Amino acid sequence: DIQMTQSPSSLSASVGDRVTITCRASQSISNYLNWYQQKPGKAPKLLIYAASSLQSGVPSRFSGSGSGTDFTLTISSLQPEDFATYYCQQSYNTPPWMFGQGTKVEIK
Amino acid sequence: QLQLQESGPGLVKPSETLSLTCTVSGGSISSTSYYWGWIRQPPGKGLEWIGSIYYSGTTNYNPSLTSRVTIYLDTSKNQLSLKLSSVTAADTAVYYCARHAEMAKGYYYYYGMDVWGQGTTVTVSS
């Protein structure tokens, strides 16, 4: 089964900062990679699918890149509402479709 | 607008079977090309994919849970169900159901969990 590893597990940043989160797959998954945002007490929200395609309604300050085994989620200018935990998930072939362990973005 | 709502007992005794239902409104659970799945989140921890079922009934489970989990569709009630047997305290979590939609990019299709229920908390304790 394909395992997903995110880094860092947490980070502190200020409003306006550029933030980058990394996700690595244990084997090549082409671009079958999703990113989710989860705020405390809420269900996750799909941000990006196919490694770089923005889900409808998601602000353009979010972007994704990568292919194969290495992927990144970038927030170009961190906003107050972006403080949350972010998860990557692979959707390669058929399930199982595992999640990364999450990256918590906190206020500096 | 599609909505998902989880329901079931909030407290389950150790060694018993956890049973949850996800009621789908605003759309059909039989719609072609969708997967439906369950995801859980232990207190203070990350998301764990439990398993998914294709609209045709084909199931896939997390290898760490496959001996204890069953997921099925009840098309007459437009519901998705989860059964997890022989539960322990480690199964205490918020349980979410989610639709996996097929999204096009170029010539290819990609699955993403685009609609989620609000989640239901299940505690395993005697």
Side-chain angles (χ1 to χ4, degrees):
Chain A
D1 300 320
I2 301 171
Q3 303 303 315
M4 310 302 293
T5 304
Q6 285 181 238
S7 61
S9 56
S10 65
L11 64 90
S12 296
S14 301
V15 172
D17 284 353
R18 181 181 182 89
V19 169
T20 298
I21 298 168
T22 297
C23 178
R24 175 166 288 175
S26 59
Q27 66 186 70
S28 177
I29 57 171
S30 183
N31 61 339
Y32 289 84
L33 193 283
N34 302 322
W35 289 99
Y36 298 85
Q37 176 194 65
Q38 186 182 33
K39 296 181 179 179
K42 300 294 186 182
K45 171 187 173 184
L46 178 65
L47 296 178
I48 288 172
Y49 64 95
S52 61
S53 293
L54 224 55
Q55 176 69 340
S56 176
V58 174
S60 59
R61 62 181 179 272
F62 291 93
S63 64
S65 64
S67 184
T69 60
D70 295 317
F71 303 87
T72 58
L73 171 68
T74 299
I75 309 172
S76 60
S77 177
L78 197 65
Q79 298 301 300
E81 59 268 30
D82 301 337
F83 291 95
T85 302
Y86 294 85
Y87 295 91
C88 63
Q89 181 216 17
Q90 63 89 5
S91 61
Y92 183 70
N93 207 346
T94 55
W97 290 333
M98 302 302 195
F99 291 93
Q101 77 274 26
T103 296
K104 186 174 184 178
V105 176
E106 299 176 299
I107 301 172
K108 182 182 284 185
Chain B
Q1 179 183 352
L2 190 79
Q3 292 186 318
L4 282 62
Q5 178 68 59
E6 305 90 347
S7 60
L11 181 64
V12 181
K13 290 182 168 54
S15 80
E16 294 188 344
T17 296
L18 178 162
S19 296
L20 296 176
T21 297
C22 173
T23 300
V24 178
S25 58
S28 173
I29 205 163
S30 302
S31 297
T32 59
S33 301
Y34 289 107
Y35 280 88
W36 304 86
W38 290 94
I39 301 93
R40 69 181 183 180
Q41 186 169 37
K45 296 188 177 181
L47 302 172
E48 180 181 29
W49 176 80
I50 298 171
S52 299
I53 184 167
Y54 199 41
Y55 77 100
S56 61
T58 301
T59 53
N60 297 89
Y61 300 132
N62 188 317
S64 69
L65 298 170
T66 190
S67 64
R68 300 194 291 130
V69 66
T70 303
I71 294 174
Y72 58 95
L73 300 176
D74 186 336
T75 56
S76 66
K77 296 181 180 178
N78 218 34
Q79 291 178 336
L80 165 71
S81 293
L82 167 70
K83 289 191 182 298
L84 184 65
S85 64
S86 305
V87 297
T88 69
D91 296 309
T92 293
V94 176
Y95 285 76
Y96 296 99
C97 57
R99 184 183 77 170
H100 311 349
E102 192 177 50
M103 294 166 285
K105 179 178 180 179
Y107 295 109
Y108 299 96
Y109 292 87
Y110 301 80
Y111 276 100
M113 298 179 185
D114 68 331
V115 182
W116 294 66
Q118 65 185 31
T120 188
T121 299
V122 177
T123 301
V124 178
S125 175
S126 55

